Amino acid sequence: MKYIFDTNAFNNFLDAQDNTPLHSVSILATHVQLAEIKATKDDERRNCLLNVFSEITDEVKKTESMVFPLIFGAQKFGDGTYENLLESLNQEVSQFSTKKRLKKENGHSNDAQIAEVALKNKYTLVTDDNELIKVFENYGGKVLRYAKFIEIVT
């Protein structure tokens, strides 16, 4: 079974100091999660997350759409799915205060890219992001919260 981790799943794995053997499953990611991890401000946490990423990620997949900033060789030409996911995610947070909504909308570009890869390749998305879960399931994607993922693979 192939699973694609949202960045918060890597954080959860680190926080749990999980020694769960993940040999029976394939953990995937994209350049998006790696960039988010590299943007972690705390040097020690960033280094630990990078170690977790390299230890448990079996493959870094290309994203399915070209989104700025362009990363040649890491993105494909899209078919509109990314834009639809992004619009749905932004609509999902429309009830929040302006400040919280803008912060969430800015992060939804990354979420939409990760979700699109999972959706198009029929991977199970592992995330604890409530808005992403709701939208992803509305598009017919299979999603697990991190705790449920660990329960299943152990």
Side-chain angles (χ1 to χ4, degrees):
M1 180 70 99
K2 293 187 178 187
Y3 299 89
I4 189 161
F5 269 25
D6 190 10
T7 307
N8 61 50
F10 288 105
N11 277 283
N12 289 340
F13 190 90
L14 175 63
D15 292 342
Q17 297 180 355
D18 220 323
N19 294 322
T20 303
L22 299 176
H23 305 295
S24 62
V25 297
S26 184
I27 306 298
L28 309 170
T30 71
H31 66 88
V32 175
Q33 294 94 319
L34 186 56
E36 288 181 336
I37 289 170
K38 286 181 177 180
T40 302
K41 290 180 171 71
D42 180 290
D43 290 339
E44 184 178 343
R45 182 156 186 91
R46 181 180 54 249
N47 289 334
C48 289
L49 283 167
L50 287 169
N51 286 336
V52 164
F53 184 92
S54 67
E55 287 174 16
I56 69 171
T57 303
D58 294 309
E59 187 177 353
V60 177
K61 304 296 287 182
K62 291 182 181 184
T63 54
E64 298 290 333
S65 295
M66 290 196 165
V67 177
F68 289 100
L70 295 180
I71 302 174
F72 294 102
Q75 299 169 317
K76 299 177 185 177
F77 288 106
D79 64 2
T81 303
Y82 161 79
E83 290 82 2
N84 293 335
L85 285 163
L86 181 59
E87 182 179 335
S88 296
L89 284 164
N90 288 337
Q91 287 176 357
E92 189 61 33
V93 299
S94 65
Q95 73 274 12
F96 297 134
S97 68
T98 302
K99 183 177 180 181
K100 186 174 180 181
R101 186 178 71 243
L102 288 173
K103 181 180 179 189
K104 285 190 163 276
E105 285 177 357
N106 289 337
H108 282 318
S109 174
N110 290 347
D111 289 339
Q113 289 179 77
I114 296 165
E116 182 184 28
V117 171
L119 195 61
K120 288 191 164 199
N121 294 286
K122 297 183 181 8
Y123 303 142
T124 300
L125 176 63
V126 179
T127 186
D128 285 334
D129 182 318
N130 293 327
E131 293 85 18
L132 182 55
I133 290 169
K134 185 175 181 180
V135 168
F136 193 67
E137 286 179 334
N138 286 343
Y139 277 80
K142 185 173 179 187
V143 63
L144 293 173
R145 291 190 176 276
Y146 179 78
K148 187 67 175 176
F149 165 78
I150 290 298
E151 182 182 310
I152 288 170
V153 301
T154 55

Short mmCIF file of all heavy atoms in Angstrom, two decimals, residues 73-136:
data_model
loop_
_atom_site.label_atom_id
_atom_site.label_comp_id
_atom_site.label_asym_id
_atom_site.label_seq_id
_atom_site.Cartn_x
_atom_site.Cartn_y
_atom_site.Cartn_z
N GLY A 73 11.60 19.54 -13.50
CA GLY A 73 11.91 18.15 -13.20
C GLY A 73 11.15 17.61 -12.00
O GLY A 73 11.17 16.43 -11.74
N ALA A 74 10.47 18.50 -11.26
CA ALA A 74 9.73 18.07 -10.08
C ALA A 74 8.23 18.27 -10.25
O ALA A 74 7.46 17.93 -9.38
CB ALA A 74 10.21 18.84 -8.85
N GLN A 75 7.83 18.84 -11.40
CA GLN A 75 6.42 19.14 -11.64
C GLN A 75 6.02 18.69 -13.04
O GLN A 75 6.85 18.61 -13.94
CB GLN A 75 6.17 20.65 -11.51
CG GLN A 75 6.50 21.21 -10.15
CD GLN A 75 6.50 22.73 -10.14
OE1 GLN A 75 7.01 23.37 -11.05
NE2 GLN A 75 5.93 23.31 -9.10
N LYS A 76 4.72 18.43 -13.20
CA LYS A 76 4.17 18.06 -14.49
C LYS A 76 3.20 19.16 -14.93
O LYS A 76 2.84 20.02 -14.15
CB LYS A 76 3.41 16.74 -14.40
CG LYS A 76 4.23 15.55 -13.97
CD LYS A 76 3.34 14.33 -13.85
CE LYS A 76 4.07 13.13 -13.31
NZ LYS A 76 3.17 11.98 -13.13
N PHE A 77 2.74 19.08 -16.18
CA PHE A 77 1.69 19.98 -16.63
C PHE A 77 0.36 19.50 -16.07
O PHE A 77 0.05 18.31 -16.15
CB PHE A 77 1.63 20.03 -18.17
CG PHE A 77 2.78 20.77 -18.77
CD1 PHE A 77 3.79 20.08 -19.41
CD2 PHE A 77 2.85 22.15 -18.71
CE1 PHE A 77 4.87 20.74 -19.96
CE2 PHE A 77 3.91 22.83 -19.26
CZ PHE A 77 4.93 22.12 -19.89
N GLY A 78 -0.42 20.40 -15.53
CA GLY A 78 -1.67 20.03 -14.88
C GLY A 78 -2.87 20.01 -15.82
O GLY A 78 -2.79 20.44 -16.97
N ASP A 79 -4.00 19.53 -15.29
CA ASP A 79 -5.23 19.47 -16.06
C ASP A 79 -6.37 20.23 -15.40
O ASP A 79 -7.53 20.06 -15.75
CB ASP A 79 -5.64 18.01 -16.29
CG ASP A 79 -5.97 17.28 -14.99
OD1 ASP A 79 -5.92 17.90 -13.90
OD2 ASP A 79 -6.26 16.08 -15.06
N GLY A 80 -6.05 21.05 -14.38
CA GLY A 80 -7.07 21.82 -13.69
C GLY A 80 -7.46 21.26 -12.33
O GLY A 80 -8.14 21.92 -11.56
N THR A 81 -7.02 20.06 -12.03
CA THR A 81 -7.36 19.45 -10.74
C THR A 81 -6.79 20.26 -9.59
O THR A 81 -7.47 20.51 -8.59
CB THR A 81 -6.86 18.00 -10.67
OG1 THR A 81 -7.42 17.26 -11.76
CG2 THR A 81 -7.25 17.34 -9.36
N TYR A 82 -5.54 20.70 -9.73
CA TYR A 82 -4.91 21.51 -8.68
C TYR A 82 -5.74 22.76 -8.40
O TYR A 82 -6.03 23.08 -7.24
CB TYR A 82 -3.48 21.90 -9.08
CG TYR A 82 -2.95 23.08 -8.31
CD1 TYR A 82 -2.48 22.93 -7.01
CD2 TYR A 82 -2.95 24.36 -8.86
CE1 TYR A 82 -2.03 24.01 -6.28
CE2 TYR A 82 -2.50 25.45 -8.15
CZ TYR A 82 -2.04 25.27 -6.86
OH TYR A 82 -1.59 26.35 -6.13
N GLU A 83 -6.13 23.45 -9.44
CA GLU A 83 -6.90 24.69 -9.27
C GLU A 83 -8.24 24.42 -8.59
O GLU A 83 -8.67 25.19 -7.73
CB GLU A 83 -7.12 25.38 -10.63
CG GLU A 83 -5.87 25.99 -11.24
CD GLU A 83 -4.98 24.99 -11.99
OE1 GLU A 83 -5.32 23.78 -12.07
OE2 GLU A 83 -3.91 25.42 -12.46
N ASN A 84 -8.88 23.32 -8.94
CA ASN A 84 -10.15 22.95 -8.30
C ASN A 84 -9.96 22.63 -6.82
O ASN A 84 -10.76 23.05 -5.98
CB ASN A 84 -10.80 21.76 -9.02
CG ASN A 84 -11.25 22.12 -10.42
OD1 ASN A 84 -11.52 23.27 -10.73
ND2 ASN A 84 -11.31 21.11 -11.28
N LEU A 85 -8.92 21.88 -6.51
CA LEU A 85 -8.63 21.56 -5.12
C LEU A 85 -8.32 22.83 -4.32
O LEU A 85 -8.82 23.00 -3.20
CB LEU A 85 -7.45 20.58 -5.02
CG LEU A 85 -7.73 19.14 -5.38
CD1 LEU A 85 -6.43 18.39 -5.65
CD2 LEU A 85 -8.52 18.45 -4.27
N LEU A 86 -7.52 23.71 -4.91
CA LEU A 86 -7.16 24.95 -4.23
C LEU A 86 -8.40 25.80 -3.96
O LEU A 86 -8.58 26.32 -2.86
CB LEU A 86 -6.14 25.74 -5.06
CG LEU A 86 -5.65 27.05 -4.46
CD1 LEU A 86 -5.00 26.83 -3.10
CD2 LEU A 86 -4.68 27.72 -5.43
N GLU A 87 -9.26 25.92 -4.95
CA GLU A 87 -10.50 26.69 -4.78
C GLU A 87 -11.37 26.08 -3.68
O GLU A 87 -11.92 26.80 -2.83
CB GLU A 87 -11.28 26.75 -6.09
CG GLU A 87 -12.55 27.58 -5.99
CD GLU A 87 -13.30 27.65 -7.31
OE1 GLU A 87 -12.68 27.49 -8.38
OE2 GLU A 87 -14.52 27.86 -7.25
N SER A 88 -11.48 24.76 -3.66
CA SER A 88 -12.28 24.08 -2.63
C SER A 88 -11.69 24.29 -1.24
O SER A 88 -12.42 24.52 -0.27
CB SER A 88 -12.37 22.59 -2.92
OG SER A 88 -13.06 22.35 -4.12
N LEU A 89 -10.38 24.22 -1.13
CA LEU A 89 -9.73 24.45 0.16
C LEU A 89 -9.95 25.88 0.63
O LEU A 89 -10.24 26.13 1.81
CB LEU A 89 -8.24 24.13 0.07
CG LEU A 89 -7.88 22.66 0.06
CD1 LEU A 89 -6.46 22.45 -0.42
CD2 LEU A 89 -8.07 22.05 1.44
N ASN A 90 -9.82 26.83 -0.28
CA ASN A 90 -10.03 28.23 0.08
C ASN A 90 -11.48 28.49 0.49
O ASN A 90 -11.75 29.25 1.42
CB ASN A 90 -9.60 29.16 -1.05
CG ASN A 90 -8.09 29.21 -1.18
OD1 ASN A 90 -7.36 28.92 -0.25
ND2 ASN A 90 -7.62 29.57 -2.36
N GLN A 91 -12.43 27.85 -0.17
CA GLN A 91 -13.83 27.98 0.21
C GLN A 91 -14.08 27.37 1.58
O GLN A 91 -14.89 27.87 2.36
CB GLN A 91 -14.75 27.32 -0.83
CG GLN A 91 -14.86 28.10 -2.11
CD GLN A 91 -15.69 27.38 -3.16
OE1 GLN A 91 -16.14 26.26 -2.96
NE2 GLN A 91 -15.86 28.04 -4.30
N GLU A 92 -13.39 26.31 1.88
CA GLU A 92 -13.56 25.63 3.17
C GLU A 92 -13.17 26.53 4.34
O GLU A 92 -13.75 26.43 5.42
CB GLU A 92 -12.72 24.34 3.19
CG GLU A 92 -12.97 23.44 4.35
CD GLU A 92 -14.39 22.92 4.44
OE1 GLU A 92 -15.03 22.70 3.40
OE2 GLU A 92 -14.88 22.75 5.57
N VAL A 93 -12.21 27.42 4.13
CA VAL A 93 -11.77 28.30 5.23
C VAL A 93 -12.43 29.68 5.16
O VAL A 93 -12.10 30.55 5.94
CB VAL A 93 -10.23 28.46 5.26
CG1 VAL A 93 -9.56 27.13 5.48
CG2 VAL A 93 -9.71 29.15 4.03
N SER A 94 -13.38 29.87 4.28
CA SER A 94 -13.98 31.20 4.10
C SER A 94 -14.71 31.70 5.34
O SER A 94 -14.90 32.90 5.50
CB SER A 94 -14.92 31.21 2.89
OG SER A 94 -16.02 30.35 3.12
N GLN A 95 -15.09 30.81 6.25
CA GLN A 95 -15.81 31.23 7.44
C GLN A 95 -14.87 31.74 8.54
O GLN A 95 -15.32 32.28 9.53
CB GLN A 95 -16.68 30.09 7.99
CG GLN A 95 -15.92 28.97 8.67
CD GLN A 95 -15.41 27.89 7.73
OE1 GLN A 95 -15.42 28.04 6.51
NE2 GLN A 95 -14.94 26.80 8.28
N PHE A 96 -13.56 31.59 8.38
CA PHE A 96 -12.62 32.04 9.40
C PHE A 96 -12.45 33.55 9.36
O PHE A 96 -12.79 34.20 8.38
CB PHE A 96 -11.25 31.37 9.21
CG PHE A 96 -11.27 29.88 9.37
CD1 PHE A 96 -10.64 29.07 8.46
CD2 PHE A 96 -11.92 29.29 10.44
CE1 PHE A 96 -10.64 27.69 8.61
CE2 PHE A 96 -11.94 27.91 10.60
CZ PHE A 96 -11.29 27.11 9.68
N SER A 97 -11.85 34.10 10.41
CA SER A 97 -11.52 35.53 10.43
C SER A 97 -10.56 35.83 9.29
O SER A 97 -9.86 34.95 8.80
CB SER A 97 -10.88 35.91 11.76
OG SER A 97 -9.60 35.30 11.88
N THR A 98 -10.52 37.08 8.88
CA THR A 98 -9.69 37.47 7.73
C THR A 98 -8.23 37.08 7.94
O THR A 98 -7.60 36.51 7.05
CB THR A 98 -9.78 38.99 7.49
OG1 THR A 98 -11.15 39.32 7.28
CG2 THR A 98 -8.97 39.40 6.28
N LYS A 99 -7.68 37.35 9.12
CA LYS A 99 -6.26 37.04 9.38
C LYS A 99 -6.01 35.54 9.29
O LYS A 99 -5.08 35.09 8.64
CB LYS A 99 -5.87 37.57 10.75
CG LYS A 99 -4.41 37.37 11.08
CD LYS A 99 -4.07 37.99 12.43
CE LYS A 99 -2.60 37.79 12.74
NZ LYS A 99 -2.26 38.36 14.03
N LYS A 100 -6.84 34.75 9.96
CA LYS A 100 -6.67 33.30 9.94
C LYS A 100 -6.92 32.75 8.55
O LYS A 100 -6.22 31.85 8.08
CB LYS A 100 -7.62 32.66 10.95
CG LYS A 100 -7.42 31.17 11.12
CD LYS A 100 -8.29 30.62 12.23
CE LYS A 100 -8.07 29.12 12.40
NZ LYS A 100 -8.92 28.57 13.45
N ARG A 101 -7.92 33.30 7.84
CA ARG A 101 -8.25 32.83 6.50
C ARG A 101 -7.08 33.06 5.55
O ARG A 101 -6.70 32.17 4.79
CB ARG A 101 -9.51 33.53 5.98
CG ARG A 101 -9.97 32.96 4.64
CD ARG A 101 -11.24 33.62 4.14
NE ARG A 101 -10.99 34.99 3.73
CZ ARG A 101 -11.53 36.06 4.30
NH1 ARG A 101 -12.36 35.96 5.30
NH2 ARG A 101 -11.24 37.26 3.87
N LEU A 102 -6.48 34.25 5.59
CA LEU A 102 -5.35 34.55 4.69
C LEU A 102 -4.17 33.64 4.97
O LEU A 102 -3.51 33.16 4.05
CB LEU A 102 -4.95 36.02 4.80
CG LEU A 102 -5.92 37.01 4.19
CD1 LEU A 102 -5.49 38.44 4.52
CD2 LEU A 102 -6.04 36.82 2.69
N LYS A 103 -3.90 33.38 6.24
CA LYS A 103 -2.80 32.47 6.59
C LYS A 103 -3.07 31.08 6.04
O LYS A 103 -2.21 30.45 5.44
CB LYS A 103 -2.62 32.43 8.11
CG LYS A 103 -1.48 31.54 8.55
CD LYS A 103 -1.33 31.53 10.05
CE LYS A 103 -0.19 30.61 10.44
NZ LYS A 103 -0.13 30.39 11.86
N LYS A 104 -4.28 30.58 6.22
CA LYS A 104 -4.62 29.24 5.74
C LYS A 104 -4.62 29.19 4.21
O LYS A 104 -4.14 28.23 3.63
CB LYS A 104 -5.97 28.80 6.30
CG LYS A 104 -5.92 28.40 7.74
CD LYS A 104 -7.20 27.75 8.16
CE LYS A 104 -7.05 26.99 9.43
NZ LYS A 104 -6.53 25.65 9.26
N GLU A 105 -5.18 30.21 3.55
CA GLU A 105 -5.23 30.21 2.09
C GLU A 105 -3.83 30.19 1.49
O GLU A 105 -3.60 29.52 0.49
CB GLU A 105 -6.00 31.43 1.58
CG GLU A 105 -7.50 31.30 1.77
CD GLU A 105 -8.27 32.54 1.34
OE1 GLU A 105 -7.64 33.54 0.94
OE2 GLU A 105 -9.51 32.49 1.41
N ASN A 106 -2.88 30.88 2.11
CA ASN A 106 -1.52 30.89 1.60
C ASN A 106 -0.89 29.50 1.68
O ASN A 106 -0.09 29.14 0.84
CB ASN A 106 -0.67 31.90 2.36
CG ASN A 106 -1.04 33.33 2.04
OD1 ASN A 106 -1.61 33.61 0.98
ND2 ASN A 106 -0.76 34.24 2.94
N GLY A 107 -1.26 28.71 2.68
CA GLY A 107 -0.73 27.36 2.81
C GLY A 107 -1.46 26.33 1.97
O GLY A 107 -0.99 25.22 1.78
N HIS A 108 -2.62 26.70 1.46
CA HIS A 108 -3.42 25.72 0.71
C HIS A 108 -2.84 25.39 -0.66
O HIS A 108 -3.17 24.35 -1.21
CB HIS A 108 -4.86 26.18 0.58
CG HIS A 108 -5.66 25.96 1.82
ND1 HIS A 108 -5.58 24.82 2.58
CD2 HIS A 108 -6.55 26.74 2.44
CE1 HIS A 108 -6.38 24.90 3.61
NE2 HIS A 108 -6.99 26.07 3.56
N SER A 109 -2.01 26.23 -1.20
CA SER A 109 -1.38 25.90 -2.47
C SER A 109 -0.56 24.62 -2.31
O SER A 109 -0.63 23.72 -3.14
CB SER A 109 -0.48 27.04 -2.94
OG SER A 109 0.23 26.65 -4.10
N ASN A 110 0.19 24.54 -1.21
CA ASN A 110 0.98 23.34 -0.95
C ASN A 110 0.08 22.13 -0.72
O ASN A 110 0.32 21.05 -1.24
CB ASN A 110 1.89 23.55 0.26
CG ASN A 110 3.01 24.53 -0.02
OD1 ASN A 110 3.27 24.87 -1.17
ND2 ASN A 110 3.66 24.99 1.01
N ASP A 111 -0.97 22.33 0.09
CA ASP A 111 -1.90 21.23 0.36
C ASP A 111 -2.55 20.72 -0.92
O ASP A 111 -2.70 19.51 -1.11
CB ASP A 111 -2.99 21.68 1.33
CG ASP A 111 -2.47 21.89 2.75
OD1 ASP A 111 -1.41 21.34 3.09
OD2 ASP A 111 -3.15 22.60 3.51
N ALA A 112 -2.94 21.64 -1.80
CA ALA A 112 -3.58 21.26 -3.06
C ALA A 112 -2.63 20.46 -3.94
O ALA A 112 -3.04 19.49 -4.60
CB ALA A 112 -4.10 22.49 -3.79
N GLN A 113 -1.35 20.83 -3.95
CA GLN A 113 -0.37 20.08 -4.75
C GLN A 113 -0.20 18.66 -4.21
O GLN A 113 -0.18 17.69 -4.98
CB GLN A 113 0.98 20.79 -4.73
CG GLN A 113 0.99 22.08 -5.53
CD GLN A 113 2.35 22.73 -5.46
OE1 GLN A 113 3.28 22.29 -6.13
NE2 GLN A 113 2.48 23.76 -4.64
N ILE A 114 -0.09 18.52 -2.90
CA ILE A 114 0.07 17.20 -2.28
C ILE A 114 -1.17 16.36 -2.52
O ILE A 114 -1.09 15.19 -2.91
CB ILE A 114 0.36 17.35 -0.77
CG1 ILE A 114 1.71 18.06 -0.56
CG2 ILE A 114 0.35 15.98 -0.09
CD1 ILE A 114 1.93 18.57 0.86
N ALA A 115 -2.34 16.96 -2.32
CA ALA A 115 -3.61 16.25 -2.51
C ALA A 115 -3.78 15.79 -3.96
O ALA A 115 -4.27 14.68 -4.21
CB ALA A 115 -4.78 17.13 -2.10
N GLU A 116 -3.38 16.62 -4.90
CA GLU A 116 -3.52 16.25 -6.31
C GLU A 116 -2.68 15.02 -6.64
O GLU A 116 -3.13 14.12 -7.35
CB GLU A 116 -3.12 17.43 -7.20
CG GLU A 116 -3.29 17.12 -8.67
CD GLU A 116 -2.82 18.23 -9.59
OE1 GLU A 116 -1.90 19.00 -9.20
OE2 GLU A 116 -3.35 18.32 -10.70
N VAL A 117 -1.46 14.96 -6.11
CA VAL A 117 -0.61 13.79 -6.35
C VAL A 117 -1.28 12.54 -5.78
O VAL A 117 -1.35 11.50 -6.45
CB VAL A 117 0.79 13.98 -5.72
CG1 VAL A 117 1.60 12.69 -5.77
CG2 VAL A 117 1.54 15.10 -6.44
N ALA A 118 -1.80 12.65 -4.57
CA ALA A 118 -2.48 11.50 -3.95
C ALA A 118 -3.71 11.09 -4.75
O ALA A 118 -3.92 9.90 -5.01
CB ALA A 118 -2.86 11.84 -2.51
N LEU A 119 -4.50 12.06 -5.15
CA LEU A 119 -5.75 11.79 -5.86
C LEU A 119 -5.49 11.12 -7.21
O LEU A 119 -6.07 10.09 -7.53
CB LEU A 119 -6.51 13.10 -6.05
CG LEU A 119 -7.96 13.03 -6.45
CD1 LEU A 119 -8.77 12.30 -5.40
CD2 LEU A 119 -8.51 14.44 -6.65
N LYS A 120 -4.60 11.69 -7.99
CA LYS A 120 -4.36 11.18 -9.34
C LYS A 120 -3.67 9.81 -9.37
O LYS A 120 -3.82 9.07 -10.32
CB LYS A 120 -3.54 12.19 -10.14
CG LYS A 120 -4.35 13.40 -10.53
CD LYS A 120 -3.60 14.23 -11.53
CE LYS A 120 -4.58 15.17 -12.18
NZ LYS A 120 -4.08 15.68 -13.43
N ASN A 121 -2.91 9.53 -8.32
CA ASN A 121 -2.18 8.26 -8.28
C ASN A 121 -2.82 7.23 -7.35
O ASN A 121 -2.27 6.16 -7.14
CB ASN A 121 -0.73 8.53 -7.86
CG ASN A 121 0.00 9.32 -8.91
OD1 ASN A 121 0.35 8.80 -9.96
ND2 ASN A 121 0.21 10.61 -8.65
N LYS A 122 -3.98 7.62 -6.79
CA LYS A 122 -4.73 6.73 -5.89
C LYS A 122 -3.93 6.30 -4.67
O LYS A 122 -4.00 5.16 -4.20
CB LYS A 122 -5.28 5.53 -6.64
CG LYS A 122 -6.28 5.93 -7.72
CD LYS A 122 -6.88 4.73 -8.41
CE LYS A 122 -7.86 5.02 -9.50
NZ LYS A 122 -8.11 6.30 -10.00
N TYR A 123 -3.12 7.25 -4.14
CA TYR A 123 -2.40 7.02 -2.90
C TYR A 123 -3.32 7.44 -1.75
O TYR A 123 -4.16 8.32 -1.89
CB TYR A 123 -1.13 7.87 -2.81
CG TYR A 123 -0.15 7.67 -3.93
CD1 TYR A 123 0.55 8.75 -4.45
CD2 TYR A 123 0.12 6.41 -4.46
CE1 TYR A 123 1.48 8.59 -5.46
CE2 TYR A 123 1.03 6.24 -5.49
CZ TYR A 123 1.71 7.34 -5.98
OH TYR A 123 2.62 7.18 -6.99
N THR A 124 -3.11 6.84 -0.60
CA THR A 124 -3.82 7.26 0.60
C THR A 124 -3.05 8.42 1.22
O THR A 124 -1.84 8.33 1.45
CB THR A 124 -3.92 6.10 1.61
OG1 THR A 124 -4.64 5.02 1.00
CG2 THR A 124 -4.65 6.54 2.87
N LEU A 125 -3.76 9.52 1.46
CA LEU A 125 -3.16 10.71 2.06
C LEU A 125 -3.20 10.57 3.58
O LEU A 125 -4.24 10.22 4.14
CB LEU A 125 -3.94 11.95 1.62
CG LEU A 125 -3.54 13.28 2.22
CD1 LEU A 125 -2.11 13.65 1.81
CD2 LEU A 125 -4.51 14.38 1.77
N VAL A 126 -2.08 10.83 4.22
CA VAL A 126 -2.00 10.81 5.68
C VAL A 126 -1.81 12.25 6.15
O VAL A 126 -0.79 12.88 5.86
CB VAL A 126 -0.85 9.92 6.18
CG1 VAL A 126 -0.77 9.94 7.70
CG2 VAL A 126 -1.00 8.50 5.66
N THR A 127 -2.84 12.77 6.84
CA THR A 127 -2.82 14.16 7.31
C THR A 127 -3.74 14.33 8.50
O THR A 127 -4.68 13.55 8.68
CB THR A 127 -3.23 15.14 6.20
OG1 THR A 127 -3.05 16.49 6.67
CG2 THR A 127 -4.65 14.94 5.74
N ASP A 128 -3.49 15.35 9.28
CA ASP A 128 -4.39 15.74 10.36
C ASP A 128 -4.99 17.11 10.10
O ASP A 128 -5.55 17.73 11.01
CB ASP A 128 -3.65 15.73 11.71
CG ASP A 128 -3.41 14.31 12.22
OD1 ASP A 128 -4.19 13.41 11.86
OD2 ASP A 128 -2.45 14.11 12.98
N ASP A 129 -4.88 17.61 8.88
CA ASP A 129 -5.44 18.91 8.49
C ASP A 129 -6.93 18.74 8.19
O ASP A 129 -7.31 18.11 7.20
CB ASP A 129 -4.69 19.43 7.26
CG ASP A 129 -5.15 20.78 6.79
OD1 ASP A 129 -6.38 21.03 6.76
OD2 ASP A 129 -4.29 21.59 6.42
N ASN A 130 -7.78 19.27 9.07
CA ASN A 130 -9.23 19.07 8.96
C ASN A 130 -9.81 19.54 7.63
O ASN A 130 -10.64 18.85 7.04
CB ASN A 130 -9.96 19.76 10.12
CG ASN A 130 -9.65 19.10 11.44
OD1 ASN A 130 -9.45 17.89 11.51
ND2 ASN A 130 -9.60 19.88 12.49
N GLU A 131 -9.42 20.72 7.17
CA GLU A 131 -9.95 21.24 5.91
C GLU A 131 -9.51 20.37 4.74
O GLU A 131 -10.29 20.06 3.85
CB GLU A 131 -9.52 22.70 5.68
CG GLU A 131 -10.12 23.69 6.64
CD GLU A 131 -9.35 23.82 7.95
OE1 GLU A 131 -8.17 23.42 8.01
OE2 GLU A 131 -9.94 24.34 8.91
N LEU A 132 -8.25 19.97 4.75
CA LEU A 132 -7.73 19.11 3.68
C LEU A 132 -8.44 17.76 3.67
O LEU A 132 -8.79 17.25 2.61
CB LEU A 132 -6.22 18.94 3.84
CG LEU A 132 -5.50 18.11 2.78
CD1 LEU A 132 -5.76 18.61 1.38
CD2 LEU A 132 -4.00 18.07 3.08
N ILE A 133 -8.68 17.20 4.84
CA ILE A 133 -9.39 15.92 4.92
C ILE A 133 -10.77 16.04 4.28
O ILE A 133 -11.16 15.22 3.45
CB ILE A 133 -9.51 15.44 6.39
CG1 ILE A 133 -8.14 15.03 6.91
CG2 ILE A 133 -10.52 14.30 6.52
CD1 ILE A 133 -8.08 14.80 8.41
N LYS A 134 -11.50 17.07 4.66
CA LYS A 134 -12.86 17.25 4.14
C LYS A 134 -12.87 17.41 2.63
O LYS A 134 -13.64 16.75 1.92
CB LYS A 134 -13.52 18.46 4.81
CG LYS A 134 -14.96 18.65 4.43
CD LYS A 134 -15.59 19.78 5.22
CE LYS A 134 -17.06 19.93 4.83
NZ LYS A 134 -17.69 21.03 5.57
N VAL A 135 -12.02 18.27 2.12
CA VAL A 135 -11.98 18.50 0.67
C VAL A 135 -11.52 17.25 -0.07
O VAL A 135 -12.11 16.86 -1.07
CB VAL A 135 -11.07 19.72 0.34
CG1 VAL A 135 -10.78 19.81 -1.15
CG2 VAL A 135 -11.72 21.01 0.85
N PHE A 136 -10.47 16.61 0.43
CA PHE A 136 -9.92 15.43 -0.23
C PHE A 136 -10.96 14.32 -0.31
O PHE A 136 -11.11 13.66 -1.34
CB PHE A 136 -8.67 14.96 0.50
CG PHE A 136 -7.86 13.96 -0.27
CD1 PHE A 136 -7.20 14.29 -1.44
CD2 PHE A 136 -7.74 12.65 0.19
CE1 PHE A 136 -6.45 13.36 -2.15
CE2 PHE A 136 -6.99 11.71 -0.49
CZ PHE A 136 -6.36 12.08 -1.67
#
